[in-house]
Amino acid sequence: MTTATTPVRTPERASAPAVTARKHRPGLRRRLELALLLGPALLLFFGFVLVPIGIAAFYSVFNWNGFGPLDDFVGFKNYSDAFGGTVFQSAIVHNLIIAGLSIVVQLPLSIGLALLLNRKLRGRAVLRALVFAPYVLSEAITAVIWSLMLQPNGFADQTLRAAGLGGLVHNWLADPGIVLYTMFAVITWKYIGFGIILLLAGLQGVPAELREAAALDGASAWQTTRHVVLPLLGPTIRIWIFLSVIGSLQLFDVVWIMTTGGPANASTTMATYLIDHGFKRYEFGFGSAVAVILFVICFVFALLYQRFALRRDTQGALTRMVG
Amino acid sequence: MFVKRRITVLAALAAVAPLALSACSGGNEPPAQPSGPVTLTWWHNGTTDPIKTVWEKVVADYQKAHPEVTIKAQPLQNEDFGTKVPLALQSAEPPDIYQSWGAGDLAGQITSGKVADITGDTKDWIEQATGKFGEKWQVDGKQYGVPFTQHFVGFWYRKDLFQSAGITTPPKTMDELNAAVTQLKAKGIAPISVGGKDRWPDAFYFNYFAIRECSTAVLQQSVKAVKLEDPCWTKAGQDLKNFLATEPFQTGFAGTPAQQGAGSSAGLVANGKAAMELQGDWEPGTMSSLTEDKDLDSKIGWFPFPTVAGGQGDPAAALGGGDGYACTTRAYKACTAFLQYLVSEPVQTELSAKGTGLPVNAVAAKALKTDVLRQVYDYGTKAPYLQMYFDRAFPTAVGAALNDAVANMFAGQGTPEGIVTAVNQAAAGNK
Amino acid sequence: MRSGKFGLSMGYLAAIVVVGVTVVPLLFVALGGFRTTAQLNTDPAGLPGPWVFDNYASVLGSSAFWTFLGNSALIAVIATALAVGLGSMAGYALSRYQFKGREAFYTLFTLGLLFPLGVATLPLYLWLRQLGLLETFWGVAIPEAAFSLPVTIVILRPFMHAIPGEIEDAAVLDGTTRLGFFWRILLPLSTPALTTVAVLAFVTSWNAYLLPLLVFNDAGHFTLPLGVASFQSQYSQDTARVLAFTALSAIPALAFFVLAERRIVGGLTGSVKG
């Protein structure tokens, strides 16, 4: 007879004894190990990611067409222009809507599918491949296919009419009121595989014995899921949320190819805005400024999220309870 | 660890700062030209046939006639030029010959100092080969590129659909066009298709209304000053608004692409689902691949943009553009010699005969394959004034702002005054 | 236990619905290649009939396609190996070592996720040129690996942290070093997570467009996404051929996933039982 809480809620210990023991080892050896482990990645990352980002951010205080010398210093004018523009403001709103929808719609969907695909269904491998396949397709072809299907009287409309749901037919890509949600549907289709592969990996850390034990206790499938599986899946879910929100804020490729942010800026995201109004117009400084703004928004979210949501996943023991 | 990292950061920034700031300002002296055998890299957008084969033959023929020249052609997808050319012009080895669509882009590119001023090397032959069209590749009176093909924009229509709607002759005035739209709608035919998703097809309408409303002098002066001051511009916007109010376009036009993929506006006309489209001379080529109809050519006709009552513009003025090439400074003499070959009669005739577009060299016009292309060519070359599409005539940022403002109006937002304001603001450097 | 059977059939039902919605666009891509562009335009939703084999045949028969495939594969393998190799080492350090500034380093890596990398193309291009990496496969693979490091580390860190300390204690008792523990015990135990990040890095590299576009001018070096250009011109697009080309391009990446996903499911079972 197990108490229901023991497997799930482990008292948080300050730090695992195994880790503490190592603090007193010879410092040099440890530092060398750290340098060997962390160094190469850090070097690669610094050289090819941080430095270009830094330089790109440097452009943001100039008015620059990308061709001549960097000689037109404008301070923060690019930033104030960006914030003052209604198009950019609505772009921010669009990104936030997508981020919110991704948590409310995509997360339950991904979890449900991952749970489903984790069970011993027949043809499970085929199902997994099929659900992951959209992620493998490039954004360009995703846009081509969905544009084909969503055009007026295209496949989507024909299917709805055939199913007797003709009243639901809309101008999926041309109606400024719904184009953003159409984009969300396409994005969901494309990225569901990513969530599933991540959650499947996380589910491997949920031992079957726990679920069996809970079932023996008389818990229903739903209760088992809610009280046993989901909490253990917690770290993975929190990573998913982190990556998904960041991805929503950075959304570019699918929207760019399907609508270029239109019609009339109804589906603009911050990233399409900076490409459209910045780089495509040879205004490198302005584009860089908008990119920095986007970065700061993401950074604030990342900091807060790390501080409050992710902290517990890398501190304290999580899986020490199984003997 | 932190201190070490901070120093590393500073050191790295110091190392790359020169990179960031080193974009050199133009030298006044072009570099000494390479002597002896020279290899030219050529960036063109002919990734598919028919033009791909034409260019391959051009390279082979030129290399045979000029054994000291080797040409490395690198076809690049059209949309990628905007990404790659600015980067290449930042590097020390930009391509020797690259595609250019007119003075609007060139104006920015020459500030890199790497685009060659080829006035001296072209003045002996460019007017004879390209007429006045070559002037559209001049910035401040200096020649920076040479066109090899020209385009004119007009209404492509389906003769069979017009007939079934009872329209006997193509419309000549806006009133006649509106009447035709009404007749087509009565028959349940989408009167005009437009690729609203791409925004530049929308801009054709505003461009033409402006050409009809504004006198030639105003047009030239506005483009030169990059400022819209004359009230004719607002009138053009109002004309557009009135035209949009007649709802002449297909359902969901704001999401329809112009040419890419099935379901594009060109495809609608090709399959008889729309009766007209305002497009350039490339339209028949685009349409032919989008339909199984083998008789399409016989069903397609062309008429120029209608006249607008009370407009100060020349009623026969045309809207168009062209494709050309620009030279970078490293081997500009060899480059200009090659460009001279491109506008010579044999190459121009080949381009026309293979249906790649309208020639710039008048002697090649007789090689055009279909009557309707000849009709377009005659109309455009005989036009008293040819205006380049504004998004190519204006600097890129201004042109993009114009297209956006027009697209907004198509979507039901924006005002005629708004279009003018958007252009002037963009020209003033506001975003 | 009664709920078991019912739950299973509900599961099957849900699976069928999901698969239906997911698979239809995939079928479009696969079947679209068996029609002509003209057919696709006249009747977008129709099934192939007559079946046109020319598109797939010409793509498979063109040496350019296989060149692109080889280039894509080479770059993807290098980028994935670098990203997963370096990322797992960094993930280990960031998850199981305790040191000052650990969180700061982790945050540093996440910065790579927060900035739209397309903005940094100009500095990156100049930097690659300075290093002489233009027109080389390393010029694409190395930055791709660098761009994949943030996601790799963000995913690996909690997985690596969750591996019980007792295993580490037991290893120490056996006399292994920490690096030995990493190589011989931690990595095998992290197979699900490692496979996940490997698949993600591979697919990202496989579909990358911007970086190969910047680095390569010579068509002989192009990767598959760049190869689509040969079916698209300034004024039109051979949609059917593009679909055939894309369907074929997606197969290797999908195959990699299918082979890899067996490793995702089946990593930790048995290992936690003490």
Side-chain angles (χ1 to χ4, degrees):
Chain A
M1 190 108 108
T2 51
T3 50
T5 53
T6 317
V8 181
R9 275 174 224 130
T10 319
E12 291 210 301
R13 299 175 211 185
S15 57
V19 178
T20 325
R22 274 146 186 77
K23 266 195 188 157
H24 303 298
R25 269 194 168 192
L28 181 62
R29 161 128 197 200
R30 205 166 143 274
R31 284 219 221 114
L32 280 177
E33 281 175 4
L34 273 176
L36 179 66
L37 288 171
L38 206 46
L42 209 53
L43 211 61
L44 183 69
F45 184 71
F46 189 77
F48 289 93
V49 179
L50 287 183
V51 164
I53 287 179
I55 298 177
F58 178 60
Y59 296 152
S60 66
V61 291
F62 291 90
N63 214 6
W64 191 45
N65 67 357
F67 291 113
L70 272 169
D71 55 5
D72 190 3
F73 181 79
V74 293
F76 286 107
K77 179 168 183 299
N78 287 330
Y79 290 92
S80 55
D81 281 347
F83 276 122
T86 49
V87 179
F88 183 62
Q89 290 166 0
S90 59
I92 300 180
V93 172
H94 296 158
N95 279 107
L96 293 176
I97 292 177
I98 301 266
L101 282 178
S102 78
I103 299 181
V104 166
V105 174
Q106 286 178 1
L107 183 59
L109 197 59
S110 294
I111 297 178
L113 283 175
L115 286 173
L116 192 68
L117 292 175
N118 199 35
R119 304 168 73 160
K120 291 196 173 19
L121 295 174
R122 275 223 310 259
R124 180 172 69 169
V126 172
L127 284 179
R128 284 196 195 145
L130 280 177
V131 172
F132 190 68
Y135 185 73
V136 173
L137 290 180
S138 65
E139 276 91 6
I141 207 61
T142 304
V144 168
I145 281 300
W146 278 99
S147 304
L148 247 178
M149 301 217 311
L150 291 172
Q151 68 193 29
N153 299 317
F155 183 79
D157 289 350
Q158 286 177 13
T159 314
L160 282 175
R161 291 211 178 94
L165 295 166
L168 286 180
V169 168
H170 283 93
N171 270 327
W172 306 108
L173 292 174
D175 183 341
I178 60 169
V179 65
L180 188 66
Y181 302 99
T182 311
M183 287 295 103
F184 178 72
V186 176
I187 295 160
T188 304
W189 176 84
K190 184 165 198 333
Y191 291 109
I192 207 86
F194 170 81
I196 289 175
I197 190 181
L198 189 61
L199 291 167
L200 273 178
L203 276 174
Q204 303 323 303
V206 180
E209 298 82 28
L210 279 179
R211 272 185 272 170
E212 286 160 17
L216 277 172
D217 270 356
S220 73
W222 169 243
Q223 282 174 323
T224 316
T225 306
R226 194 171 176 296
H227 294 286
V228 177
V229 177
L230 283 185
L232 284 177
L233 209 49
T236 314
I237 292 179
R238 282 186 277 279
I239 292 292
W240 186 96
I241 293 179
F242 180 70
L243 292 175
S244 182
V245 170
I246 297 291
S248 307
L249 292 172
Q250 301 269 336
L251 187 59
F252 174 72
D253 278 299
V254 173
V255 176
W256 179 256
I257 300 178
M258 283 193 81
T259 65
T260 338
N265 300 313
S267 61
T268 313
T269 63
M270 290 190 273
T272 65
Y273 178 77
L274 74 90
I275 295 290
D276 197 15
H277 287 242
F279 294 92
K280 286 272 177 234
R281 299 189 186 186
Y282 293 131
E283 282 171 6
F284 277 61
F286 182 69
S288 299
V290 179
V292 171
I293 295 175
L294 171 56
F295 168 79
V296 168
I297 294 177
C298 293
F299 187 59
V300 168
F301 165 73
L303 274 185
L304 291 174
Y305 194 75
Q306 235 182 295
R307 176 79 183 77
F308 293 109
L310 287 183
R311 212 20 98 77
R312 39 193 271 205
D313 294 332
T314 45
Q315 272 180 5
L318 191 65
T319 54
R320 310 301 306 274
M321 68 297 178
V322 189
Chain B
M1 279 275 209
F2 265 108
V3 177
K4 252 177 31 190
R5 199 164 58 80
R6 207 162 35 224
I7 293 178
T8 330
V9 168
L10 287 176
L13 273 179
V16 300
L19 258 182
L21 301 167
S22 74
C24 55
S25 57
N28 293 323
E29 292 295 318
Q33 294 296 286
S35 56
V38 65
T39 306
L40 299 173
T41 34
W42 180 24
W43 283 9
H44 66 76
N45 69 354
T47 49
T48 60
D49 282 328
I51 200 165
K52 179 159 164 255
T53 322
V54 174
W55 284 152
E56 285 169 0
K57 180 167 183 296
V58 163
V59 168
D61 290 344
Y62 191 78
Q63 286 181 168
K64 206 149 68 154
H66 299 85
E68 77 283 4
V69 176
T70 316
I71 300 182
K72 266 176 51 182
Q74 287 171 341
L76 206 55
Q77 198 177 344
N78 194 55
E79 283 70 37
D80 293 335
F81 274 90
T83 315
K84 292 198 75 156
V85 168
L87 294 184
L89 289 176
Q90 281 281 348
S91 77
E93 314 91 21
D96 298 298
I97 316 165
Y98 69 93
Q99 195 128 359
S100 166
W101 288 270
D105 281 340
L106 282 171
Q109 289 166 355
I110 55 184
T111 56
S112 69
K114 303 224 177 68
V115 185
D117 175 357
I118 53 178
T119 320
D121 300 87
T122 56
K123 64 179 189 314
D124 291 333
W125 49 265
I126 194 168
E127 186 157 347
Q128 191 231 349
T130 67
K132 291 223 156 278
F133 192 55
E135 285 169 19
K136 305 226 182 280
W137 273 255
Q138 288 177 359
V139 180
D140 289 335
K142 300 206 200 98
Q143 197 77 33
Y144 286 99
V146 178
F148 71 92
T149 189
Q150 52 186 335
H151 303 300
F152 304 113
V153 176
F155 271 105
W156 296 86
Y157 74 100
R158 285 194 67 110
K159 299 194 250 196
D160 51 346
L161 293 180
F162 266 31
Q163 219 172 14
S164 71
I167 307 167
T168 46
T169 55
K172 292 202 187 52
T173 68
M174 273 314 294
D175 289 332
E176 287 176 26
L177 181 65
N178 290 333
V181 164
T182 317
Q183 280 174 280
L184 286 160
K185 282 210 269 191
K187 277 271 184 274
I189 305 170
I192 311 180
S193 70
V194 69
K197 169 183 175 271
D198 293 326
R199 288 182 261 170
W200 53 264
D202 296 352
F204 281 165
Y205 287 90
F206 178 76
N207 291 358
Y208 252 124
F209 279 121
I211 292 172
R212 293 283 180 259
E213 289 286 356
C214 302
S215 68
T216 312
V218 167
L219 288 173
Q220 285 172 321
Q221 186 264 335
S222 302
V223 169
K224 193 149 185 276
V226 194
K227 208 161 177 271
L228 307 184
E229 285 173 311
D230 199 288
C232 66
W233 294 99
T234 321
K235 280 233 286 224
Q238 190 57 49
D239 288 340
L240 178 62
K241 192 157 182 212
N242 298 342
F243 182 64
L244 292 173
T246 67
E247 292 186 3
F249 298 121
Q250 82 275 19
T251 337
F253 65 86
T256 311
Q259 302 155 329
Q260 303 294 357
S264 55
S265 54
L268 289 174
V269 179
N271 288 300
K273 305 218 179 84
M276 299 181 255
E277 192 180 6
L278 182 64
Q279 270 291 357
D281 59 288
W282 50 75
E283 182 81 337
T286 311
M287 286 198 292
S288 63
S289 67
L290 295 173
T291 180
E292 307 224 80
D293 188 349
K294 298 282 174 269
D295 289 326
L296 185 65
D297 275 340
S298 64
K299 298 184 188 155
I300 297 293
W302 186 88
F303 64 89
F305 194 85
T307 58
V308 171
Q312 292 169 318
D314 193 316
L319 177 72
D323 288 37
Y325 293 108
C327 299
T328 53
T329 49
R330 184 192 77 100
Y332 70 94
K333 287 209 187 289
C335 168
T336 17
F338 181 65
L339 294 184
Q340 185 179 7
Y341 180 62
L342 289 184
V343 297
S344 66
E345 184 177 344
V347 175
Q348 291 283 303
T349 312
E350 183 76 2
L351 286 169
S352 306
K354 288 287 188 301
T356 64
L358 302 176
V360 291
N361 197 333
V363 303
K366 53 188 181 300
L368 287 169
K369 285 200 298 189
T370 61
D371 287 333
V372 73
L373 279 178
R374 263 175 245 130
Q375 178 193 0
V376 179
Y377 180 81
D378 285 337
Y379 175 81
T381 45
K382 293 200 176 73
Y385 177 64
L386 174 67
Q387 173 63 51
M388 191 164 237
Y389 347 99
F390 292 117
D391 61 358
R392 292 284 185 198
F394 285 136
T396 318
V398 179
L402 173 64
N403 286 6
D404 275 1
V406 173
N408 281 356
M409 185 170 246
F410 268 69
Q413 304 165 5
T415 62
E417 295 76 15
I419 299 179
V420 172
T421 321
V423 172
N424 288 334
Q425 286 221 321
N430 295 323
K431 323 286 183 305
Chain C
M1 281 313 196
R2 240 176 321 150
S3 58
K5 279 230 171 66
F6 174 70
L8 205 59
S9 21
M10 282 307 289
Y12 271 115
L13 189 63
I16 291 172
V17 170
V18 166
V19 166
V21 172
T22 311
V23 117
V24 165
L26 299 175
L27 278 180
F28 255 68
V29 179
L31 294 181
F34 288 109
R35 310 172 72 196
T36 64
T37 305
Q39 285 172 359
L40 279 170
N41 200 60
T42 341
D43 181 18
L47 289 173
W51 287 69
V52 174
F53 295 104
D54 186 49
N55 295 318
Y56 277 101
S58 74
V59 171
L60 286 172
S62 74
S63 62
F65 173 73
W66 296 103
T67 311
F68 298 152
L69 189 78
N71 295 339
S72 277
L74 182 65
I75 292 174
V77 165
I78 298 176
T80 306
L82 268 179
V84 177
L86 297 185
S88 60
M89 294 192 330
Y92 176 51
L94 292 173
S95 63
R96 302 188 78 90
Y97 282 72
Q98 201 84 319
F99 57 94
K100 219 169 55 167
R102 186 180 80 163
E103 291 309 306
F105 275 111
Y106 177 71
T107 311
L108 190 71
F109 277 112
T110 62
L111 293 187
L113 289 172
L114 310 181
F115 197 82
L117 287 164
V119 172
T121 49
L122 179 55
L124 184 63
Y125 176 77
L126 294 175
W127 185 221
L128 287 174
R129 196 176 62 87
Q130 190 114 340
L131 292 173
L133 287 177
L134 288 183
E135 210 73 53
T136 66
F137 295 120
W138 292 105
V140 180
I142 294 178
E144 275 179 3
F147 296 160
S148 288
L149 275 178
V151 174
T152 306
I153 292 175
V154 163
I155 291 180
L156 283 180
R157 192 169 90 139
F159 276 91
M160 286 185 167
H161 182 84
I163 290 179
E166 289 92 6
I167 300 184
E168 207 164 349
D169 296 341
V172 167
L173 283 173
D174 275 348
T176 36
T177 62
R178 294 197 83 182
L179 293 182
F181 168 72
F182 170 71
W183 181 247
R184 254 168 298 190
I185 299 174
L186 185 79
L187 282 188
L189 279 183
S190 309
T191 311
L194 283 177
T195 319
T196 307
V197 293
V199 169
L200 293 177
F202 189 87
V203 172
T204 307
S205 169
W206 194 258
N207 288 330
Y209 184 78
L210 192 54
L211 204 49
L213 180 71
L214 297 185
V215 170
F216 295 134
N217 287 327
D218 183 352
H221 293 145
F222 279 4
T223 55
L224 284 168
L226 295 180
V228 185
S230 38
F231 309 119
Q232 292 170 318
S233 73
Q234 194 176 3
Y235 303 121
S236 62
Q237 179 192 53
D238 190 348
T239 314
R241 203 148 286 197
V242 169
L243 292 178
F245 185 89
T246 313
L248 290 171
S249 307
I251 290 177
L254 204 52
F256 184 71
F257 166 73
V258 168
L259 290 173
E261 64 105 19
R262 288 162 210 287
R263 307 296 225 97
I264 299 180
V265 194
L268 274 180
T269 35
S271 63
V272 194
K273 274 202 199 134

